[in-house]
Amino acid sequence: MNFTEFALHEDLLKGIAQAGYETCTPVQEQVLKTSLAGDDLYVQSQTGTGKTAAYLVSIIQERLSNPENDGKKTLVLVPTRELAVQVEDEAKKLLSGTSLKAFSFYGGVGYKAQVEAIEKGVDFIVGTPGRIIDLKKGGQLDLSGVGFLVIDEADRMFDMGFYPDLREILKFIPNPEARQTMLFSATLNTYVKNLAWEYTRDAKEITIEAENITVDEIDQSLIHVSSDKKLPLLLGILNRDKPESVLIFCNTKKGCEILGKRLKINGFESGFIIGDMQQSKRLETLNNFKAGKFSILVATDVAARGIDVNDLAMVVNYDLPNEPENYVHRIGRTARAGKSGKAYTFCSEKDVYDLPVIERYIDKQIPSSVCSDDQLAEDKSKGVYIKLDTYGWGGDDERDSRGSGYGRGDRNGGRGDRDGRGRRGERGDRKPRGEGRPEKRGEKREFDKSLEGLSFEERMEVYKKKYSEKAGAPRGDKRGKKPYDKRYDKRDRFDKKGGAKGASFQGKKAGQKPGAKAAPKKTLENRGIVGFFKSLFGKKK
């Protein structure tokens, strides 16, 4: 169905043409049919299906065609800064034929430009919860005139800990009867449905089944590789395939930074974005990647939210995602608008146990192979110490540097982007625990049998045998744990000179009745401390 088949305002049609839209995607068609009738709705739709244009077109149409909505503002809440910028850009294209204005509000930047935009007048307010609350409490932003509310990526809002902020913002805007509300989420879990039930009026549910792009349009390849050979394997793939653009996913902020810097040492121009980077640096890196100044971008799941890059040739799961939904979100970025793409997934001994859940989720066994030596390339960064930058100390907090660096972190990464638990910087690439740790003597990393065509259970058994704990060491036994020394038992911390054995720290003698006064504490000798150390280090009689 084409946009022209809807009775849209002529000024809106100019913006649609400016944005290059012609045919509606399934979510756009369903949303327009439902929302143009004035109904609230909550929608399940994956990233990259065109949902942003769906709710923007609907609201712009209501603003332009219905005199009752004249002057009503639109509030769009999003979880990340990058997504806020993306929605703002999309809104400006669609509003190009009108006099309506859109602006994005997020942390990590100063208030001046945002306050000036409010003073000039904003019809579409796009922002992250933290900055919206700050502007409201600071008296700069008035939300009493909001007639349209959109909560985008609602499931991520909950994952990032934004639910209290959402409830606080909803106190500032008109009640559900006086506004139209739309919730969009990749999954309609209990939290999202409860939010829809509480803050909407008879909302209609729209479920857009995820297209089977993971099977039909993306060339998937899973490679079993030991963790110490993941970088040589990645270098080999980049040298062989020479992709025009590639997005590489890591599970941690530290891992992103290390990988991005090691790629540069190996001659690959690349960038990385993590939650602790200053906003100006994040935007600069993202814009350079979109402009083609470098072809490789390394990111975490949360930091990559809102990245909308056309014609992405390849996605690499350097780390296997912890959640099966994230696997679909990741690889789906390389097959948008009916285009094909390539997705590599590295599966090491550290994360192989997440693989069965992913394959059950997509209802398909990913074509797999075992890494061979001819797929590897020389790693020029091997043995090079990687110093990590301490991003985030200077104004990357959503509340303008007033955060502690723990808990919610920058309020746009939700508890530090959930990939570093809010830590404001790492102390460096620690070799004892880092990815550059040398192999133990005698330990072999090569697989002694192929994993191709094996079932889940069979593949798990291979990994268990290959990477299980050392023979003879019982499971659960802590490495390096010393045998228990009774001398450190508090009952035995007093020698004969310091009092009877069994005396407690308070000086009470063994067998003393409850309620009796403690023994007098006159000297260190009476406390037994000196005697205890003498018993350890003194000369034997």
Side-chain angles (χ1 to χ4, degrees), residues 14-85:
K14 294 178 182 178
I16 292 175
Q18 175 69 22
Y21 297 143
E22 294 182 3
T23 305
C24 297
T25 64
V27 67
Q28 290 168 351
E29 180 178 346
Q30 294 296 322
V31 168
L32 288 175
K33 288 180 178 180
T34 307
S35 61
L36 290 179
D39 294 323
D40 288 359
L41 50 87
Y42 56 101
V43 183
Q44 177 181 351
S45 181
Q46 300 291 335
T47 301
T49 55
K51 56 185 174 62
T52 303
Y55 62 74
L56 287 176
V57 169
S58 173
I59 295 173
I60 296 172
Q61 172 64 19
E62 289 295 301
R63 281 294 312 270
L64 296 177
S65 61
N66 193 342
E68 295 180 359
N69 295 323
D70 189 31
K72 289 185 178 181
K73 297 184 180 299
T74 300
L75 176 62
V76 181
L77 297 174
V78 296
T80 65
R81 310 162 195 177
E82 287 75 22
L83 185 55
V85 174

Side-chain angles (χ1 to χ4, degrees), residues 241-246 289 292 294-296 311-314:
D241 292 6
K242 294 180 173 53
E244 295 181 0
S245 58
V246 56
F289 179 63
F294 54 82
S295 60
I296 303 173
D311 301 327
L312 190 61
M314 181 185 295

